[in-house]
């Protein structure tokens, strides 16, 4: 593109974007490592009560674990619930405003943790909420590793706060101020450039003369091709459909299982190891490493979708293509539930060594869960509603995730730390997620009958050309 963003800038944007997504996100999934450090520093230790029969140094710290669980519950709730309003902010005000808000929350949250003390442990509540909503945060799975090497909690979080400068520079130099137009106009550019150069550093939208329409007015998502979605399917119709309702249930029950596992991992390891500090440290490190490997699992679900819907044939077009995608989504949904079920079964086995398998299954299941959630919403519903449906699904699942705190209270109270019955209940709850692929399969049959009645063949002609796929 002459006069547009050069190859170096586009490559820099791509590489720095990968680095930012890989190293500055997923705060919630590093909670197990962070709580290990916080316990060692004495946060909420005043809640521990003498208990000579307890295996952890003569103290009953169930109330301490419950308080940490409350911090995690609020943080994870804010992480999902704020997806919808933050998406509205992004759509309304653009990239620059959304990133400045995220950077401010990130810096504020890290500073609160850095300057917190056991006496000011209450600062963890706003800090974890701010870090969760920020969204571009460092994966905290290596916090315990660094702490073991002599770095203080304050030093680690001051470093994370300083990283806000890197985020700010990337926002100014390598990101557009508003939204990226689709399709890209000629010589499209973004970010800031050196003085003396042409004014092409501004986005195409900012350079357009007042009152003149341009390509940037085209929405991000291409219009729905005729026949690819139920005609006249409004946002309200999507939300009120059984397809969406059962998908939210699918997402909610499995997310609850993951959050409860992460939030209670530290006391679980303490119980299974008989309070062995070194064993807890080793298994916490193992969990941290598996979380870092989650990026390697992310493409697998996409491969399942592509392989199943295509096979050796070319992807059909129009309504037939959407139906093929929906059929593929059934397989993806089932595989995700099976993985979560296996993970739940392993987590229920009261043998410490089995937890290595639990960690592996958990990170694979988590990757399939969140990737499959976005893919399904893009396939099953009109693309112009994707952002709103995704935000709403995450917000509703966040409300269900609040059940993790009463589960922890039940575990630490009447069950006296024994997770057997809670694990059995969670296995039963995960089974509910199998309803979603059944509903999708029935929807596939219904749409197939409608196409047959309309005289539309369900397979692509052998010599058909492969059309350019719409981005989901």
């Amino acid at each position: 593109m002459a006069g547009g963003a050069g190859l170096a800038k586009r490559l820099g944007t791509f590489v720095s974007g990968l680095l930012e997504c890989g190293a500055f996100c997923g705060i919630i999934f590093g909670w197990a490592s962070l709580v290990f450090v916080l316990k060692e520093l004495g946060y909420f230790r005043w809640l521990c009560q003498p208990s000579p029969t307890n295996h952890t140094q003569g103290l009953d710290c169930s109330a301490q674990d419950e308080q940490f669980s409350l911090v995690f519950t609020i943080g994870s709730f804010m992480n999902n619930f704020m997806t919808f309003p933050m998406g509205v902010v992004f759509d309304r005000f653009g990239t620059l405003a959304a990133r400045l808000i995220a950077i401010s929350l990130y810096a504020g949250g890290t500073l609160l943790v850095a300057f917190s003390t056991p006496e000011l442990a209450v600062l963890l509540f706003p800090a974890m909420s701010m870090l969760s909503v920020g969204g571009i945060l460092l994966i905290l799975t290596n916090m315990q590793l660094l702490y073991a090497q002599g770095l203080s909690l304050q030093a680690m979080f001051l470093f994370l706060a300083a990283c806000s400068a890197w985020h700010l520079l990337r926002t100014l130099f390598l990101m557009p101020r508003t939204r990226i137009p689709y399709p890209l106009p000629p010589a499209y550019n973004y970010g800031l450039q050196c003085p003396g150069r042409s004014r092409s550093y501004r986005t195409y939208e900012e350079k357009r003369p007042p009152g003149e329409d341009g390509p940037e007015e085209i929405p991000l998502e291409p219009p729905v091709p005729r026949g690819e979605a139920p005609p006249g399917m409004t946002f309200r119709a999507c939300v009120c459909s059984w397809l969406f309702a059962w998908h939210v249930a699918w997402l909610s029950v499995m997310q609850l299982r993951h959050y409860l596992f992460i939030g209670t991992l530290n006391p679980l390891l303490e119980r299974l190891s008989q309070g062995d500090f070194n064993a807890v440290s080793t298994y916490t490190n193992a969990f941290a490493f598996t979380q870092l490997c989650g990026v390697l699992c992310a493409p697998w679900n996409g491969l399942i979708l592509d392989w199943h819907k295509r096979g050796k044939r070319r992807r059909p077009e129009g309504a037939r293509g959407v139906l093929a995608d929906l059929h593929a989504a059934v397989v993806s949904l089932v595989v995700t539930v099976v993985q979560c079920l296996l993970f739940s079964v392993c987590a229920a086995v009261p043998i410490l060594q089995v937890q290595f398998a639990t960690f592996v299954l958990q990170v694979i299941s988590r990757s399939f869960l969140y990737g499959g959630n976005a893919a399904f919403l893009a396939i099953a519903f009109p693309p112009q509603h994707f952002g709103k449906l995704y935000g709403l699904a995450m917000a509703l699942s966040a409300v269900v995730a609040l059940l993790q705190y009463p589960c922890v209270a039940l575990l630490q109270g009447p069950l006296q730390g024994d997770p057997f019955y809670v694990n059995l209940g969670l296995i039963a709850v995960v089974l509910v997620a199998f309803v979603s692929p059944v509903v999708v399969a029935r929807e596939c049959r219904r749409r197939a009958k409608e196409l047959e009645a309309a005289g539309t063949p369900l397979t692509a002609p052998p010599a058909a050309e492969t059309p350019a796929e719409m981005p989901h």
Side-chain angles (χ1 to χ4, degrees), residues 34-55:
L34 179 59
V35 77
F36 181 94
V37 176
L38 295 174
K39 278 190 172 184
E40 287 300 300
L41 293 175
Y43 283 66
F44 302 121
R45 184 174 291 171
W46 55 272
L47 293 171
C48 295
Q49 301 295 327
S51 178
T53 59
N54 194 281
H55 58 260

Side-chain angles (χ1 to χ4, degrees), residues 63-95:
Q64 181 192 34
D65 291 331
E66 192 172 334
Q67 194 73 358
F68 279 124
S69 175
L70 182 60
V71 175
F72 176 76
T73 299
I74 294 175
S76 59
F77 170 78
M78 295 296 291
N79 179 61
N80 288 342
F81 187 78
M82 293 300 293
T83 301
F84 185 70
M86 288 300 291
V88 173
V89 170
F90 174 73
D91 288 342
R92 177 66 179 85
F93 300 104
T95 304

Side-chain angles (χ1 to χ4, degrees), residues 15 20 29-30 35 37 53 58 63 98 119 124 130 152 183-184 198 237 252 273 291 439:
V15 173
E20 187 171 76
F29 303 105
V35 77
V37 176
T53 59
E119 293 74 24
L124 294 177
M130 293 171 69
S152 68
L184 288 179
S198 70
S252 299
S273 66
Q291 298 303 298
V439 171

